[in-house]
Amino acid sequence: SHTNSSGNSSSASKGSNTPQSNSGTVKPEQVMLVLDKSHYVVNEVISVTITNGLSTSIFASPYYTNCTLVQLEWKYNATWLPRGRCPSTAAHVIALKPGSTTLQQLSPASSAPRPTQAATWQPGIYRISFFYNMKPDEQNTQGISVQSETFTIG
């Protein structure tokens, strides 16, 4: 009977794994970055949602772009360059619970060296990276990474 019950549960989980077209949906067994759009103007706030479809919490540190959990990266030649920084390097770890969605917002003003109202993004091709760990380890900042779709600013 033991093999039967495990066989049933795996077929049931397959059925729930159908892809959803709704961008706000948490995909089972995946950590994903969902952007609110694929093109932004130079002074626009970029909204990205971290969705944790895993059955366990994941752990991330908010010292990337603008002291958020995510790193904005700009494509220069064939290289992805990190944009924006966080003056605080105080290591603290945030837990993202199973099935959670966490909104992060990046604004051009806060990634400028001295924030001004007139700050704008550099036009170009961008993506967002998110680094996380399966346990709250402050020393291991890189861990596992996921990237968003690429998007454009201009």
Side-chain angles (χ1 to χ4, degrees):
S1 72
H2 218 90
T3 47
N4 270 358
S5 63
S6 68
N8 286 350
S9 66
S10 68
S11 63
S13 65
K14 268 202 195 73
S16 66
N17 230 340
T18 49
Q20 301 285 324
S21 57
N22 178 1
S23 65
T25 311
V26 177
K27 287 229 176 67
E29 306 309 317
Q30 283 184 11
V31 174
M32 291 179 63
L33 297 175
V34 183
L35 293 157
D36 61 336
K37 52 176 88 174
S38 59
H39 177 78
Y40 299 86
V41 295
V42 292
N43 60 352
E44 203 168 0
V45 171
I46 300 164
S47 296
V48 60
T49 302
I50 304 164
T51 64
N52 178 11
L54 305 178
S55 54
T56 56
S57 288
I58 58 175
F59 300 89
S61 297
Y63 44 63
Y64 296 97
T65 303
N66 306 1
C67 298
T68 62
L69 295 167
V70 294
Q71 177 75 70
L72 180 68
E73 295 173 349
W74 174 61
K75 193 168 195 180
Y76 178 74
N77 295 335
T79 312
W80 291 100
L81 299 177
R83 310 300 287 175
R85 57 194 159 301
C86 183
S88 159
T89 52
H92 66 291
V93 169
I94 293 175
L96 305 185
K97 293 189 168 50
S100 66
T101 58
T102 308
L103 177 65
Q104 302 286 287
Q105 294 187 304
L106 307 176
S107 73
S110 49
S111 59
R114 285 183 297 284
T116 63
Q117 285 310 105
T120 56
W121 299 116
Q122 192 156 356
I125 298 170
Y126 288 81
R127 72 177 184 188
I128 289 174
S129 289
F130 171 59
F131 305 96
Y132 67 94
N133 289 293
M134 301 313 293
K135 55 184 191 294
D137 179 1
E138 274 145 9
Q139 307 313 315
N140 181 6
T141 53
Q142 295 297 320
I144 307 159
S145 70
V146 292
Q147 277 76 39
S148 71
E149 303 283 318
T150 58
F151 59 96
T152 52
I153 297 179

